[in-house]
Amino acid sequence: MEAVITILALLFFAFVALGVYVSVKAVRVAKRGVERTVTQARRTVEETALRAKSYGQTGVAGELAQLRLKLRTSMRATQDTLNAGAAQDASLSESLALFRRLSAHAHELDEELGRLEREPDRGKVSSLMPGLRERTERITHSAESLRWAARDRAQKFSDDDLDALSAQIDMEAGALRHWSAADGGTEPAAWPKAPETGAADQAGPDAGAQNRPETGPQSEAGAGAPGRPQAISARDPRQQTAYPWQKTARPETTN
């Protein structure tokens, strides 16, 4: 009895521990989902504000917004391309490592551009603009180089696979058209012959004439001989064998 109680207690604690683990796992997944959603929402709001500033403001403030918007758009497009390609091509792992290093410089530049947007000394900001443009151009150019190289690689693999598939389909189509015997196909099966009716059909007309039954007195005399076919004649209903339950047939009388 004590062993049963111990086993039940262990099972209870095991189920409790499993429930706690599943709950913690679900909470962590939900938390990551919420954080991802909040991050995307904040990024969307920031980019919308930057787009509005780039079109609505002039001078240094508008140019800073344009630089930030250009930098973010290029980096996000490159990240999406590399992540999508790395799932199918392991060779892009090195490209992803380089992109992470580039992302560090891009984040640093984006933060600096954001601080300069709130800088009240516009003269100082104007003096820094040439260097900011150059840094933005270098980062976006590197990001575009990685993005287009990954796209070209994926397109090349797709074209090679399509060429190989087209060649296989052409070979299969050619093989399917070789249905005649001259091209290596198989001939249709011959229809079965009609069943033979006797030895006379195989030996020819002469043998059939020899096996034909004779006519005349000799044939009538030998009709009862063994080995010859007997003629079949209809039975006389008056001479049929009577069964016990049948009456004897009456003899015919003439008037």
Side-chain angles (χ1 to χ4, degrees):
M1 189 64 182
E2 295 179 356
V4 175
I5 296 176
T6 303
I7 294 175
L8 292 176
L10 292 176
L11 290 175
F12 174 75
F13 286 115
F15 281 118
V16 170
L18 181 61
V20 172
Y21 173 78
V22 171
S23 300
V24 172
K25 196 75 173 178
V27 170
R28 289 180 179 177
V29 172
K31 184 179 179 180
R32 284 197 297 267
V34 171
E35 292 177 353
R36 190 181 302 110
T37 302
V38 171
T39 302
Q40 292 177 354
R42 184 172 61 251
R43 185 185 300 122
T44 302
V45 172
E46 290 178 356
E47 291 181 358
T48 302
L50 289 175
R51 191 172 288 106
K53 290 180 181 180
S54 63
Y55 290 115
Q57 295 183 358
T58 57
V60 177
E63 188 173 0
L64 288 173
Q66 291 177 2
L67 291 178
R68 293 187 68 187
L69 185 62
K70 179 181 179 181
L71 180 65
R72 290 189 172 200
T73 303
S74 179
M75 294 298 292
R76 183 174 301 108
T78 303
Q79 183 180 10
D80 295 341
T81 301
L82 292 178
N83 289 333
Q88 300 177 355
D89 187 3
S91 300
L92 293 180
S93 59
E94 182 65 24
S95 300
L96 280 173
L98 294 175
F99 177 76
R100 294 188 187 97
R101 294 174 58 187
L102 183 65
S103 295
H105 292 278
H107 283 296
E108 182 181 356
L109 177 60
D110 183 70
E111 292 175 358
E112 184 176 355
L113 292 174
R115 287 194 301 269
L116 292 177
E117 284 182 349
R118 300 183 296 271
E119 176 63 38
D121 190 356
R122 295 301 178 182
K124 182 63 176 179
V125 175
S126 297
S127 63
L128 298 176
M129 289 303 299
L132 296 174
R133 295 191 197 98
E134 181 182 0
R135 289 174 60 188
T136 304
E137 185 64 27
R138 291 177 60 183
I139 293 175
T140 55
H141 176 73
S142 298
E144 289 174 357
S145 297
L146 286 175
R147 182 171 69 252
W148 285 108
R151 289 179 177 177
D152 293 342
R153 180 180 179 85
Q155 184 65 32
K156 183 63 170 60
F157 286 163
S158 179
D159 292 340
D160 292 343
D161 184 68
L162 181 59
D163 293 340
L165 180 60
S166 299
Q168 294 177 1
I169 291 176
D170 292 340
M171 293 177 60
E172 181 65 18
L176 291 176
R177 291 190 178 96
H178 292 173
W179 56 76
S180 61
D183 295 333
T186 57
E187 297 181 354
W191 291 98
K193 296 181 179 179
E196 299 178 357
T197 56
D201 296 336
Q202 298 179 359
D206 296 338
Q210 295 177 1
N211 296 331
R212 191 177 295 115
E214 298 179 358
T215 59
Q218 295 180 358
S219 60
E220 295 177 358
R228 292 183 178 274
Q230 300 292 332
I232 300 176
S233 58
R235 295 183 178 181
D236 188 356
R238 295 173 299 176
Q239 297 179 358
Q240 293 180 356
T241 304
Y243 292 96
W245 60 83
Q246 293 179 341
K247 296 181 179 180
T248 304
R250 295 181 180 179
E252 297 181 359
T253 56
T254 55
N255 296 332

